[in-house]
Amino acid sequence: MPDTARQDASATLMARYQRIRAFSEQFCDPLLTEDMGLQACADVSPPRWHLAHTTWFFETFLLKPHLADYRVFQPQFEYLFNSYYNGIGEQFARPQRHLLSRPTDKDVYAWRQQVDDAMVRLIEQQPGLTGLVTLGLNHEQQHQELLLTDLKYSLSFNPLAPTLGQPLAKADSPAPLSFQSFSGGLVEIGASGQGFAFDNETPRHRVWLEPFTLANRPVSNGEFLAFIEDGAYRRPELWLSDGWAWVQAQHSQRPLYWHEDLDRHFTLAGLQPLHAGQILAHVNYYEADAYARWAGKRLPTEQEWEHAAAAQPLQGHFVENGSYQPSQARDTAMAHLFGDVWEWTASAYLPYPGFQAAVGAVGEYNGKFMCNQMVLRGGSCASSREHLRASYRNFFYPHHRWQFSGIRLAGDPS
């Protein structure tokens, strides 16, 4: 690459690095010191931890091995802020992250500044590391989403219902769902090779799809309310065996954050009216599957979802909108495929044919989680628009529902 082109590429990457790193800190601007350490359960992490862990990633995988004169900010941080990379070493117990009152916010921000300054030098000096830097930035965007969803969960236990986002205007019930038909056939699935993709999106491969139909939009609050009022949480015939066991064990009767009166729900804009036309969020795979069964439909496979989404523009309601909650359901064709809510699929999270994890500890990023989890597609109102694409595969355990996860129905031609 000519020197001028290399300099332009480095400047572009550096600007993106600085913008994404600043965006993480922007989320924390309205938070109090007390908010920064909140961790309401083992599945979520404190905001301070997210800021530190993403910094750990750049220090561990880029600066320490590739910048000769780099000095580690604090050696113990490698242990405190390693999430799950066994190839790096032991990790501080995840359920106890709320006990880390030290390092302070000030310490973490100072560490971030040191790492950011060093990354500027590294990006200038070593353009061959662009791929790894880009992975780190996409990793940071994942944690930006987790920071918001984790914080929402932790704040939901506060009777004061703290407010961070913007309330949603009244959303009236949309027109009934309509279904678009797809002919199926032999199609290609997976990352195209154009631009960044995570390893679990590769390799691109062919799959055979039978003809199917897909709903024009996700399920709304009002539609799910009808499911509740029909006694669906008390009807075992609608539930998978594990799902029914979850309902019984948790005494579940409604989505996460819905109040018992079924008239209000907790949002990052505080306690808000439950609008019938707002896109449903915070249901798990068991609830999504049961709703589909109740509606006489099914969940799409991830291959069906990607085939339908590949031809659609990447438009929707993302974190950049600043409201941090799903929008009103639109009645247009193939609406909300991207943004608003992650959509559960019927597909288990498994490797694609020919998948190979990267060599070394960075290879632990996705591959080792390909067991007992389900795939979600499309992104959410807490996802960055530039972070998403039709081939993106998210994954969670079937009982998880603290993410902005919702339902799009599929069916088979009659």
Side-chain angles (χ1 to χ4, degrees), residues 66-313:
H66 298 292
L67 192 62
D69 62 346
Y70 181 76
R71 292 187 177 182
V72 170
F73 186 86
Q74 165 56 262
Q76 286 183 301
F77 286 5
E78 182 172 285
Y79 164 66
L80 292 181
F81 300 115
N82 178 1
S83 56
Y84 52 71
Y85 293 87
N86 296 317
I88 298 297
E90 294 185 6
Q91 306 103 43
F92 184 81
R94 178 173 180 169
Q96 298 179 347
R97 289 172 182 168
H98 66 283
L99 298 177
L100 296 176
S101 59
R102 309 291 175 90
T104 65
D105 296 348
K106 182 179 179 180
D107 295 332
V108 170
Y109 282 116
W111 182 27
R112 287 178 68 88
Q113 187 62 58
Q114 174 179 303
V115 165
D116 291 347
D117 291 343
M119 284 297 300
V120 167
R121 291 189 287 126
L122 184 67
I123 290 170
E124 290 175 340
Q125 294 174 13
Q126 300 202 40
L129 294 173
T130 295
L132 190 54
V133 175
T134 302
L135 174 63
L137 292 176
N138 279 269
H139 171 259
E140 181 119 3
Q141 289 176 318
Q142 287 182 317
H143 278 273
Q144 289 168 356
E145 178 163 1
L146 286 168
L147 191 158
L148 285 174
T149 52
D150 290 1
L151 181 64
K152 179 177 181 179
Y153 185 78
S154 294
L155 290 177
S156 72
F157 290 89
N158 190 329
L160 298 177
T163 300
L164 294 177
Q166 299 298 316
L168 183 75
K170 184 177 180 181
D172 295 325
S173 297
L177 291 172
S178 61
F179 287 79
Q180 181 172 328
S181 296
F182 294 85
S183 58
L186 191 63
V187 303
E188 289 193 344
I189 297 298
S192 64
Q194 302 298 315
F196 173 82
F198 286 111
D199 58 357
N200 65 356
E201 301 171 54
T202 65
R204 190 165 174 84
H205 59 288
R206 294 177 296 174
V207 298
W208 179 266
L209 298 180
E210 295 296 327
F212 67 97
T213 63
L214 195 64
N216 68 310
R217 59 168 174 80
V219 170
S220 69
N221 285 338
E223 288 162 336
F224 199 84
L225 180 60
F227 168 78
I228 297 172
E229 291 176 338
D230 195 40
Y233 279 90
R234 302 187 300 275
R235 295 171 55 183
E237 73 274 14
L238 296 174
W239 298 81
L240 295 168
S241 178
D242 284 354
W244 184 244
W246 172 82
V247 169
Q248 298 297 99
Q250 300 298 320
H251 306 289
S252 295
Q253 303 177 50
R254 55 192 178 274
L256 184 64
Y257 303 128
W258 285 30
H259 277 224
E260 190 174 0
D261 58 14
L262 304 181
D263 194 42
R264 299 168 296 160
H265 63 150
F266 177 76
T267 74
L268 281 173
L271 193 60
Q272 293 292 313
L274 191 68
H275 299 307
Q278 186 177 19
I279 296 170
L280 170 74
H282 300 297
V283 291
N284 63 25
Y285 174 77
Y286 300 135
E287 292 167 298
D289 179 82
Y291 179 88
R293 205 180 306 272
W294 174 82
K297 298 293 182 178
R298 60 176 176 83
L299 299 178
T301 66
E302 67 166 318
Q303 293 84 4
E304 291 171 336
W305 191 99
E306 183 174 329
H307 178 60
Q312 300 299 317

Side-chain angles (χ1 to χ4, degrees), residues 198-203 351-359 362-363 366-367 370:
F198 286 111
D199 58 357
N200 65 356
E201 301 171 54
T202 65
Y352 284 163
F355 169 80
Q356 290 187 339
V359 176
V362 75
N366 285 312
M370 293 175 172

